[in-house]
Amino acid sequence: MGKNNSRKWLLLIIIACASFVIALDSTFMNVAITSLVKDLNTDIGTIQTIITFYTLITASLMLVGAKLQDIYGQKKIFLIGAIFYGVGTFIASISQSAPMLFFGWSLLEGIGGALMTPATLSIVSRTYTGKDRTIALSIVSAMAGIAAAIGPLFGGFVTTFLSWRFGFAVELIVIIFIFVFSKEIKDFEPISTGRFDKLGSILSIFGLVVLVIGILAINSDFVQFSPFIIVFAIIILAIFYYYENKLKNNGNEPLFDVSMLKIKNLSVGSIIRLIASVALAGALFSISIFLQSVMKIDAFTTGLTLVPLTIGLLLFALISPRLTNYISHKLIICFGFVISIIGALLLRFNFGLDIDLITLLPGMFLLGGGLGFVISLILDLALNEIEKKDQASASGFISTSANLGISMGTAVIGTILILGAFGGLYDAIDQYYPEKIDDAHFKEDAKNYVNKVGTLSEDQKENYHVKEISNIIVFNAMKLVMNVIILILIIGLGLSFTLKNIKYS
């Protein structure tokens, strides 16, 4: 009995490691943006796209990964995903150009993450029951959130003292660890004998990819096409919904049973998970940019400054399962949103050119702590009414929401940051250098400084004093970013009131 118990929790450790390393990838490079721009001879927009597409590719393939588990078995698909992931981390670690980094990190690791993530949730959900299930799902969820939050410190350490390449090497070590102990992973029997829904897969992948491309287009030379791209993506996803519904009604097996969306906790819970991911990823990305470009602190110090957010998320996530003995899941999640909103408000009023970094710590602790409550418990609530045969599919849907949220957080908040910066460019020049208001060459250098995050030559800085202008622009943009994050969190709070509480049998 004791031995079986130990094996059961050893399985949780393996799954938690997988969840940790996949989530780590989404944030640990944020603090290395300046180094990536220089080392790969590129710009911040390209790096933002690479970061965004890692989570986008993972999100767009998540439903496919979940369905493949049903057909071929969770363990087999999980390990195939680990192979993709391991090869991707190796290629990323030796990248010499932005396209090479994109291939190893965004593409291969994205595919690997899509195959592994649904299995991590469904294996846990099918293995544990009752309070054990709450604890296990909280730990797996918390590991993902903690990894996303601790990423900046980890990335800052390796970037400052070693190289950002070592970050990918560490991930490869974790993947090797997972393979060494893979025999502990229970091999659940496939639960589907139906055909693989190829058309549904194409529609879901294409729709999600086009959606984020439309968002990214806002910050590009194709900005005028962005609304049309986004609307086109929504149309594709609507077609996917009706096609899947038609398959189910005709007695065929769809990629995803859309009738499950009638279960309120699954549909609302997935949206809440997306919102939490948008807020977390957006805050980490924008604050990292602010600290490095405006405050001019190194990657490691940036990571240290973000540690309070990580600690808050970790502490609140760890105590949340115990709190469920006295307070409902729903109330804890609502309270979590309130705490995170307070944290974002504190950050909103503390950004400035001459700020003491200590003033940011309370806001980041509360923002991370509140999200810790939300992220750790929403999975248990969302999957509570799902039948065992649908666990993989539902897990894939929630994972899609979480990863799409991370992707959108980087894309949307990053775009708002840059749009706010460029939107204030004219006013900043008019205020500080009115004699150059019609100097196109001057304004182009200022624009390039913002886009390159401080990589202009010393001559350009001395001639035009662009640094002062770009600092003011980014400072004003951060206010807009925090306002948007607060609005997103308020929406999450409103939705959390509609959730149904868990009743243990």
PDB file of all heavy atoms in Angstrom, residues 337-363:
ATOM      1  N   PHE A 337      -9.075  37.126  -7.781  1.00  0.00           N
ATOM      2  CA  PHE A 337      -9.176  38.212  -8.753  1.00  0.00           C
ATOM      3  C   PHE A 337      -9.130  39.577  -8.064  1.00  0.00           C
ATOM      4  O   PHE A 337      -8.502  40.515  -8.566  1.00  0.00           O
ATOM      5  CB  PHE A 337     -10.452  38.079  -9.580  1.00  0.00           C
ATOM      6  CG  PHE A 337     -10.303  37.199 -10.787  1.00  0.00           C
ATOM      7  CD1 PHE A 337     -11.040  36.025 -10.910  1.00  0.00           C
ATOM      8  CD2 PHE A 337      -9.424  37.541 -11.805  1.00  0.00           C
ATOM      9  CE1 PHE A 337     -10.905  35.215 -12.030  1.00  0.00           C
ATOM     10  CE2 PHE A 337      -9.279  36.737 -12.922  1.00  0.00           C
ATOM     11  CZ  PHE A 337     -10.023  35.568 -13.041  1.00  0.00           C
ATOM     12  N   VAL A 338      -9.801  39.691  -6.914  1.00  0.00           N
ATOM     13  CA  VAL A 338      -9.791  40.963  -6.185  1.00  0.00           C
ATOM     14  C   VAL A 338      -8.363  41.326  -5.765  1.00  0.00           C
ATOM     15  O   VAL A 338      -7.922  42.475  -5.924  1.00  0.00           O
ATOM     16  CB  VAL A 338     -10.708  40.886  -4.944  1.00  0.00           C
ATOM     17  CG1 VAL A 338     -10.536  42.132  -4.069  1.00  0.00           C
ATOM     18  CG2 VAL A 338     -12.165  40.738  -5.369  1.00  0.00           C
ATOM     19  N   ILE A 339      -7.633  40.343  -5.243  1.00  0.00           N
ATOM     20  CA  ILE A 339      -6.244  40.576  -4.813  1.00  0.00           C
ATOM     21  C   ILE A 339      -5.381  40.995  -5.996  1.00  0.00           C
ATOM     22  O   ILE A 339      -4.577  41.931  -5.906  1.00  0.00           O
ATOM     23  CB  ILE A 339      -5.665  39.313  -4.152  1.00  0.00           C
ATOM     24  CG1 ILE A 339      -6.397  39.010  -2.845  1.00  0.00           C
ATOM     25  CG2 ILE A 339      -4.166  39.479  -3.881  1.00  0.00           C
ATOM     26  CD1 ILE A 339      -6.014  37.683  -2.219  1.00  0.00           C
ATOM     27  N   SER A 340      -5.535  40.306  -7.132  1.00  0.00           N
ATOM     28  CA  SER A 340      -4.715  40.622  -8.311  1.00  0.00           C
ATOM     29  C   SER A 340      -5.046  42.008  -8.862  1.00  0.00           C
ATOM     30  O   SER A 340      -4.156  42.722  -9.354  1.00  0.00           O
ATOM     31  CB  SER A 340      -4.899  39.548  -9.388  1.00  0.00           C
ATOM     32  OG  SER A 340      -6.239  39.493  -9.834  1.00  0.00           O
ATOM     33  N   ILE A 341      -6.296  42.417  -8.774  1.00  0.00           N
ATOM     34  CA  ILE A 341      -6.689  43.761  -9.225  1.00  0.00           C
ATOM     35  C   ILE A 341      -6.029  44.821  -8.347  1.00  0.00           C
ATOM     36  O   ILE A 341      -5.514  45.834  -8.848  1.00  0.00           O
ATOM     37  CB  ILE A 341      -8.226  43.917  -9.208  1.00  0.00           C
ATOM     38  CG1 ILE A 341      -8.857  43.068 -10.313  1.00  0.00           C
ATOM     39  CG2 ILE A 341      -8.623  45.386  -9.377  1.00  0.00           C
ATOM     40  CD1 ILE A 341     -10.371  42.948 -10.217  1.00  0.00           C
ATOM     41  N   ILE A 342      -6.017  44.581  -7.041  1.00  0.00           N
ATOM     42  CA  ILE A 342      -5.351  45.511  -6.117  1.00  0.00           C
ATOM     43  C   ILE A 342      -3.863  45.612  -6.463  1.00  0.00           C
ATOM     44  O   ILE A 342      -3.278  46.704  -6.491  1.00  0.00           O
ATOM     45  CB  ILE A 342      -5.535  45.061  -4.656  1.00  0.00           C
ATOM     46  CG1 ILE A 342      -7.017  45.170  -4.251  1.00  0.00           C
ATOM     47  CG2 ILE A 342      -4.667  45.902  -3.712  1.00  0.00           C
ATOM     48  CD1 ILE A 342      -7.325  44.576  -2.886  1.00  0.00           C
ATOM     49  N   GLY A 343      -3.249  44.454  -6.753  1.00  0.00           N
ATOM     50  CA  GLY A 343      -1.836  44.447  -7.128  1.00  0.00           C
ATOM     51  C   GLY A 343      -1.575  45.238  -8.390  1.00  0.00           C
ATOM     52  O   GLY A 343      -0.607  46.019  -8.477  1.00  0.00           O
ATOM     53  N   ALA A 344      -2.433  45.062  -9.401  1.00  0.00           N
ATOM     54  CA  ALA A 344      -2.269  45.788 -10.663  1.00  0.00           C
ATOM     55  C   ALA A 344      -2.464  47.290 -10.462  1.00  0.00           C
ATOM     56  O   ALA A 344      -1.777  48.103 -11.090  1.00  0.00           O
ATOM     57  CB  ALA A 344      -3.261  45.256 -11.700  1.00  0.00           C
ATOM     58  N   LEU A 345      -3.393  47.668  -9.579  1.00  0.00           N
ATOM     59  CA  LEU A 345      -3.605  49.094  -9.281  1.00  0.00           C
ATOM     60  C   LEU A 345      -2.367  49.701  -8.624  1.00  0.00           C
ATOM     61  O   LEU A 345      -1.976  50.836  -8.940  1.00  0.00           O
ATOM     62  CB  LEU A 345      -4.819  49.265  -8.369  1.00  0.00           C
ATOM     63  CG  LEU A 345      -6.190  49.150  -9.044  1.00  0.00           C
ATOM     64  CD1 LEU A 345      -7.296  49.083  -7.988  1.00  0.00           C
ATOM     65  CD2 LEU A 345      -6.430  50.325  -9.999  1.00  0.00           C
ATOM     66  N   LEU A 346      -1.746  48.968  -7.717  1.00  0.00           N
ATOM     67  CA  LEU A 346      -0.520  49.461  -7.083  1.00  0.00           C
ATOM     68  C   LEU A 346       0.583  49.664  -8.115  1.00  0.00           C
ATOM     69  O   LEU A 346       1.314  50.657  -8.064  1.00  0.00           O
ATOM     70  CB  LEU A 346      -0.063  48.478  -5.995  1.00  0.00           C
ATOM     71  CG  LEU A 346      -0.919  48.405  -4.729  1.00  0.00           C
ATOM     72  CD1 LEU A 346      -0.376  47.332  -3.789  1.00  0.00           C
ATOM     73  CD2 LEU A 346      -0.949  49.760  -4.027  1.00  0.00           C
ATOM     74  N   LEU A 347       0.697  48.725  -9.053  1.00  0.00           N
ATOM     75  CA  LEU A 347       1.702  48.861 -10.104  1.00  0.00           C
ATOM     76  C   LEU A 347       1.380  50.047 -11.002  1.00  0.00           C
ATOM     77  O   LEU A 347       2.272  50.787 -11.419  1.00  0.00           O
ATOM     78  CB  LEU A 347       1.763  47.575 -10.935  1.00  0.00           C
ATOM     79  CG  LEU A 347       2.355  46.351 -10.237  1.00  0.00           C
ATOM     80  CD1 LEU A 347       2.196  45.111 -11.108  1.00  0.00           C
ATOM     81  CD2 LEU A 347       3.835  46.571  -9.929  1.00  0.00           C
ATOM     82  N   ARG A 348       0.116  50.225 -11.278  1.00  0.00           N
ATOM     83  CA  ARG A 348      -0.333  51.316 -12.164  1.00  0.00           C
ATOM     84  C   ARG A 348       0.131  52.683 -11.665  1.00  0.00           C
ATOM     85  O   ARG A 348       0.494  53.557 -12.455  1.00  0.00           O
ATOM     86  CB  ARG A 348      -1.863  51.265 -12.254  1.00  0.00           C
ATOM     87  CG  ARG A 348      -2.556  52.526 -12.765  1.00  0.00           C
ATOM     88  CD  ARG A 348      -2.229  52.791 -14.211  1.00  0.00           C
ATOM     89  NE  ARG A 348      -2.967  53.924 -14.725  1.00  0.00           N
ATOM     90  CZ  ARG A 348      -2.712  55.206 -14.460  1.00  0.00           C
ATOM     91  NH1 ARG A 348      -1.718  55.518 -13.653  1.00  0.00           N
ATOM     92  NH2 ARG A 348      -3.445  56.177 -15.001  1.00  0.00           N
ATOM     93  N   PHE A 349       0.169  52.869 -10.361  1.00  0.00           N
ATOM     94  CA  PHE A 349       0.525  54.174  -9.801  1.00  0.00           C
ATOM     95  C   PHE A 349       1.984  54.265  -9.362  1.00  0.00           C
ATOM     96  O   PHE A 349       2.378  55.243  -8.739  1.00  0.00           O
ATOM     97  CB  PHE A 349      -0.384  54.490  -8.601  1.00  0.00           C
ATOM     98  CG  PHE A 349      -1.811  54.720  -8.988  1.00  0.00           C
ATOM     99  CD1 PHE A 349      -2.790  53.788  -8.677  1.00  0.00           C
ATOM    100  CD2 PHE A 349      -2.174  55.852  -9.700  1.00  0.00           C
ATOM    101  CE1 PHE A 349      -4.118  53.998  -9.040  1.00  0.00           C
ATOM    102  CE2 PHE A 349      -3.495  56.069 -10.070  1.00  0.00           C
ATOM    103  CZ  PHE A 349      -4.468  55.141  -9.741  1.00  0.00           C
ATOM    104  N   ASN A 350       2.799  53.264  -9.685  1.00  0.00           N
ATOM    105  CA  ASN A 350       4.185  53.271  -9.201  1.00  0.00           C
ATOM    106  C   ASN A 350       5.241  53.320 -10.295  1.00  0.00           C
ATOM    107  O   ASN A 350       6.430  53.403  -9.985  1.00  0.00           O
ATOM    108  CB  ASN A 350       4.447  52.041  -8.314  1.00  0.00           C
ATOM    109  CG  ASN A 350       4.027  52.271  -6.880  1.00  0.00           C
ATOM    110  OD1 ASN A 350       4.463  53.217  -6.238  1.00  0.00           O
ATOM    111  ND2 ASN A 350       3.143  51.431  -6.380  1.00  0.00           N
ATOM    112  N   PHE A 351       4.859  53.259 -11.563  1.00  0.00           N
ATOM    113  CA  PHE A 351       5.863  53.314 -12.617  1.00  0.00           C
ATOM    114  C   PHE A 351       6.331  54.749 -12.821  1.00  0.00           C
ATOM    115  O   PHE A 351       5.528  55.687 -12.795  1.00  0.00           O
ATOM    116  CB  PHE A 351       5.312  52.753 -13.933  1.00  0.00           C
ATOM    117  CG  PHE A 351       5.231  51.262 -13.959  1.00  0.00           C
ATOM    118  CD1 PHE A 351       4.002  50.624 -13.900  1.00  0.00           C
ATOM    119  CD2 PHE A 351       6.375  50.492 -14.010  1.00  0.00           C
ATOM    120  CE1 PHE A 351       3.912  49.235 -13.912  1.00  0.00           C
ATOM    121  CE2 PHE A 351       6.306  49.108 -14.020  1.00  0.00           C
ATOM    122  CZ  PHE A 351       5.072  48.477 -13.964  1.00  0.00           C
ATOM    123  N   GLY A 352       7.611  54.911 -13.029  1.00  0.00           N
ATOM    124  CA  GLY A 352       8.182  56.229 -13.268  1.00  0.00           C
ATOM    125  C   GLY A 352       9.637  56.106 -13.650  1.00  0.00           C
ATOM    126  O   GLY A 352      10.270  55.065 -13.437  1.00  0.00           O
ATOM    127  N   LEU A 353      10.194  57.176 -14.187  1.00  0.00           N
ATOM    128  CA  LEU A 353      11.573  57.137 -14.667  1.00  0.00           C
ATOM    129  C   LEU A 353      12.583  57.018 -13.537  1.00  0.00           C
ATOM    130  O   LEU A 353      13.663  56.469 -13.726  1.00  0.00           O
ATOM    131  CB  LEU A 353      11.872  58.396 -15.493  1.00  0.00           C
ATOM    132  CG  LEU A 353      11.048  58.543 -16.779  1.00  0.00           C
ATOM    133  CD1 LEU A 353      11.361  59.867 -17.455  1.00  0.00           C
ATOM    134  CD2 LEU A 353      11.293  57.386 -17.720  1.00  0.00           C
ATOM    135  N   ASP A 354      12.236  57.542 -12.376  1.00  0.00           N
ATOM    136  CA  ASP A 354      13.187  57.550 -11.268  1.00  0.00           C
ATOM    137  C   ASP A 354      12.687  56.703 -10.096  1.00  0.00           C
ATOM    138  O   ASP A 354      12.989  56.980  -8.935  1.00  0.00           O
ATOM    139  CB  ASP A 354      13.425  58.995 -10.791  1.00  0.00           C
ATOM    140  CG  ASP A 354      13.988  59.873 -11.897  1.00  0.00           C
ATOM    141  OD1 ASP A 354      14.925  59.423 -12.581  1.00  0.00           O
ATOM    142  OD2 ASP A 354      13.484  60.998 -12.068  1.00  0.00           O
ATOM    143  N   ILE A 355      11.913  55.663 -10.405  1.00  0.00           N
ATOM    144  CA  ILE A 355      11.334  54.865  -9.335  1.00  0.00           C
ATOM    145  C   ILE A 355      12.387  54.030  -8.619  1.00  0.00           C
ATOM    146  O   ILE A 355      13.412  53.657  -9.186  1.00  0.00           O
ATOM    147  CB  ILE A 355      10.242  53.913  -9.870  1.00  0.00           C
ATOM    148  CG1 ILE A 355      10.844  52.916 -10.874  1.00  0.00           C
ATOM    149  CG2 ILE A 355       9.097  54.666 -10.462  1.00  0.00           C
ATOM    150  CD1 ILE A 355       9.905  51.790 -11.229  1.00  0.00           C
ATOM    151  N   ASP A 356      12.123  53.758  -7.364  1.00  0.00           N
ATOM    152  CA  ASP A 356      12.886  52.786  -6.598  1.00  0.00           C
ATOM    153  C   ASP A 356      12.214  51.445  -6.863  1.00  0.00           C
ATOM    154  O   ASP A 356      11.009  51.292  -6.663  1.00  0.00           O
ATOM    155  CB  ASP A 356      12.837  53.143  -5.116  1.00  0.00           C
ATOM    156  CG  ASP A 356      13.693  52.217  -4.274  1.00  0.00           C
ATOM    157  OD1 ASP A 356      14.030  51.119  -4.753  1.00  0.00           O
ATOM    158  OD2 ASP A 356      13.998  52.584  -3.126  1.00  0.00           O
ATOM    159  N   LEU A 357      12.976  50.467  -7.310  1.00  0.00           N
ATOM    160  CA  LEU A 357      12.395  49.177  -7.682  1.00  0.00           C
ATOM    161  C   LEU A 357      11.621  48.538  -6.538  1.00  0.00           C
ATOM    162  O   LEU A 357      10.703  47.747  -6.766  1.00  0.00           O
ATOM    163  CB  LEU A 357      13.497  48.223  -8.168  1.00  0.00           C
ATOM    164  CG  LEU A 357      14.209  48.623  -9.468  1.00  0.00           C
ATOM    165  CD1 LEU A 357      15.259  47.579  -9.827  1.00  0.00           C
ATOM    166  CD2 LEU A 357      13.212  48.794 -10.603  1.00  0.00           C
ATOM    167  N   ILE A 358      11.962  48.876  -5.302  1.00  0.00           N
ATOM    168  CA  ILE A 358      11.270  48.298  -4.147  1.00  0.00           C
ATOM    169  C   ILE A 358       9.790  48.665  -4.164  1.00  0.00           C
ATOM    170  O   ILE A 358       8.933  47.902  -3.693  1.00  0.00           O
ATOM    171  CB  ILE A 358      11.925  48.771  -2.832  1.00  0.00           C
ATOM    172  CG1 ILE A 358      13.349  48.200  -2.743  1.00  0.00           C
ATOM    173  CG2 ILE A 358      11.113  48.341  -1.615  1.00  0.00           C
ATOM    174  CD1 ILE A 358      14.109  48.646  -1.514  1.00  0.00           C
ATOM    175  N   THR A 359       9.449  49.819  -4.735  1.00  0.00           N
ATOM    176  CA  THR A 359       8.049  50.244  -4.758  1.00  0.00           C
ATOM    177  C   THR A 359       7.183  49.358  -5.632  1.00  0.00           C
ATOM    178  O   THR A 359       5.953  49.361  -5.514  1.00  0.00           O
ATOM    179  CB  THR A 359       7.925  51.704  -5.249  1.00  0.00           C
ATOM    180  OG1 THR A 359       8.418  51.793  -6.606  1.00  0.00           O
ATOM    181  CG2 THR A 359       8.729  52.642  -4.373  1.00  0.00           C
ATOM    182  N   LEU A 360       7.824  48.582  -6.516  1.00  0.00           N
ATOM    183  CA  LEU A 360       7.062  47.675  -7.386  1.00  0.00           C
ATOM    184  C   LEU A 360       6.733  46.359  -6.694  1.00  0.00           C
ATOM    185  O   LEU A 360       5.826  45.631  -7.128  1.00  0.00           O
ATOM    186  CB  LEU A 360       7.853  47.372  -8.666  1.00  0.00           C
ATOM    187  CG  LEU A 360       8.149  48.537  -9.612  1.00  0.00           C
ATOM    188  CD1 LEU A 360       9.000  48.049 -10.782  1.00  0.00           C
ATOM    189  CD2 LEU A 360       6.861  49.161 -10.125  1.00  0.00           C
ATOM    190  N   LEU A 361       7.454  46.031  -5.633  1.00  0.00           N
ATOM    191  CA  LEU A 361       7.345  44.700  -5.022  1.00  0.00           C
ATOM    192  C   LEU A 361       5.962  44.385  -4.453  1.00  0.00           C
ATOM    193  O   LEU A 361       5.436  43.292  -4.704  1.00  0.00           O
ATOM    194  CB  LEU A 361       8.426  44.530  -3.948  1.00  0.00           C
ATOM    195  CG  LEU A 361       9.875  44.766  -4.418  1.00  0.00           C
ATOM    196  CD1 LEU A 361      10.858  44.363  -3.325  1.00  0.00           C
ATOM    197  CD2 LEU A 361      10.167  44.009  -5.710  1.00  0.00           C
ATOM    198  N   PRO A 362       5.321  45.285  -3.684  1.00  0.00           N
ATOM    199  CA  PRO A 362       3.988  44.936  -3.149  1.00  0.00           C
ATOM    200  C   PRO A 362       2.970  44.643  -4.246  1.00  0.00           C
ATOM    201  O   PRO A 362       2.194  43.682  -4.137  1.00  0.00           O
ATOM    202  CB  PRO A 362       3.599  46.195  -2.343  1.00  0.00           C
ATOM    203  CG  PRO A 362       4.888  46.842  -2.009  1.00  0.00           C
ATOM    204  CD  PRO A 362       5.785  46.592  -3.181  1.00  0.00           C
ATOM    205  N   GLY A 363       2.965  45.462  -5.291  1.00  0.00           N
ATOM    206  CA  GLY A 363       2.021  45.252  -6.387  1.00  0.00           C
ATOM    207  C   GLY A 363       2.241  43.930  -7.089  1.00  0.00           C
ATOM    208  O   GLY A 363       1.282  43.205  -7.392  1.00  0.00           O
TER     209      GLY A 363
END
